[in-house]
Amino acid sequence: MNQDVLAARRPRTLALGLVDALGDRIRDGRLGAGDKLPTEAEVMAEFGVSRTVVREAISKLQAAGMVETRHGIGTFVVGPGDASAFRIEPQQLATLRDVVAVLELRIGVESEAAGLAAQRRTAANLAAMRAALAAFAAAVEEGRDAVAADFQLHSEIARATQNEHFAGLMATLGAQIIPRARLEASGVIDPQRQAYLRRVNAEHESIVDAIAAKDADAARAAMRTHLANSRERRRRAVEAPS
């Protein structure tokens, strides 16, 4: 039954469907403030989803202020959260124009995040960024989906600002904001796309190198260039004659 509920939410990802299902229980009182959520294994079994899906859903519920995780104890309900909390729904990324609009938002937010990361990053932050770069490169060379590694890198840069609101915003938006998400989820990456993704990761490396050098202006410029390149590719696709 619960698997059917998730499957019925076709426009949404499995994680967003799970957010809605658990959120409904919190909003209608089946899970009250202070109640402990079922374990990851229990949620996986009930809804027929993977551990990754469960963790992404919990992250989104945390960002919405509905639950909190107490390390070593479990995840507990805080309350119904703020229904007006900012989010971008999957249906708001349905067209190329929608994707361009989100990239414009990301240019403003993530360029400043890169500058702050350059000023405040720790050695651990830098190691996490390098690991995400390596994961992206490995996925590309093996012809696999690189979206998760891409989103991980941008999330690590947000964390390196040492400002929880940048990281919280990235968690709320989720990997759907990576423009290639729907394309790469569909199958193996061909050689032409591999070459393109190598160029994308070269842009990533420029951002991380500037952050490593603690050059805030260069980091902002590298991030702006990276996201503006993506925006312009999508904008040209929008303007191309049909």
Side-chain angles (χ1 to χ4, degrees):
M1 174 64 179
N2 287 307
Q3 293 181 40
D4 293 339
V5 169
L6 291 187
R9 303 179 189 273
R10 284 186 292 273
R12 301 170 180 268
T13 66
L14 284 175
L16 289 171
L18 183 56
V19 168
D20 283 350
L22 294 175
D24 286 346
R25 295 182 184 183
I26 293 170
R27 284 185 287 269
D28 66 19
R30 282 177 286 169
L31 287 170
D35 287 351
K36 185 177 179 180
L37 289 189
T39 65
E40 284 184 355
E42 289 170 338
V43 175
M44 290 165 61
E46 179 179 356
F47 291 94
V49 295
S50 69
R51 190 177 303 277
T52 299
V53 167
V54 174
R55 289 181 175 176
E56 183 179 346
I58 295 300
S59 176
K60 289 181 180 298
L61 289 170
Q62 288 173 327
M66 301 178 78
V67 304
E68 64 177 6
T69 297
R70 302 172 193 168
H71 295 293
I73 303 175
T75 300
F76 295 82
V77 175
V78 174
D82 181 2
S84 65
F86 175 77
R87 59 179 57 85
I88 295 174
E89 301 289 357
Q91 59 266 33
Q92 293 175 284
L93 287 166
T95 70
L96 283 170
R97 291 184 190 278
D98 294 333
V99 172
V100 168
V102 172
L103 282 165
E104 289 175 349
L105 171 66
R106 291 182 62 198
I107 288 170
V109 173
E110 293 191 61
S111 296
E112 183 58 23
L116 291 174
Q119 295 171 333
R120 301 172 181 174
R121 59 86 178 163
T122 65
N125 291 142
L126 194 56
M129 290 178 219
R130 296 288 190 200
L133 279 175
F136 188 106
V140 171
E141 296 312 312
E142 293 167 14
R144 295 186 288 103
D145 170 6
V147 169
D150 196 335
F151 181 67
Q152 184 65 30
L153 174 62
H154 286 270
S155 297
E156 295 299 346
I157 292 170
R159 291 189 187 96
T161 66
Q162 315 307 330
N163 179 331
E164 64 182 14
H165 299 302
F166 280 98
L169 178 59
M170 290 300 291
T172 299
L173 297 177
Q176 63 177 341
I177 63 168
I178 303 299
R180 308 182 316 278
R182 286 173 297 172
L183 294 174
E184 288 181 26
S186 62
V188 176
I189 299 170
D190 61 36
Q192 183 177 358
R193 194 146 192 83
Q194 276 185 316
Y196 159 71
L197 290 173
R198 290 187 188 108
R199 294 195 298 273
V200 168
N201 216 28
E203 294 175 3
H204 286 160
E205 289 171 354
S206 295
I207 299 166
V208 174
D209 286 347
I211 292 172
K214 298 189 175 181
D215 188 334
D217 289 339
R220 289 188 186 94
M223 180 65 83
R224 179 172 290 276
T225 296
H226 170 56
L227 294 175
N229 284 346
S230 185
R231 178 191 62 188
E232 291 311 307
R233 282 188 288 269
R234 272 74 195 177
R235 181 176 287 166
R236 286 195 297 273
V238 170
E239 294 171 353
S242 56

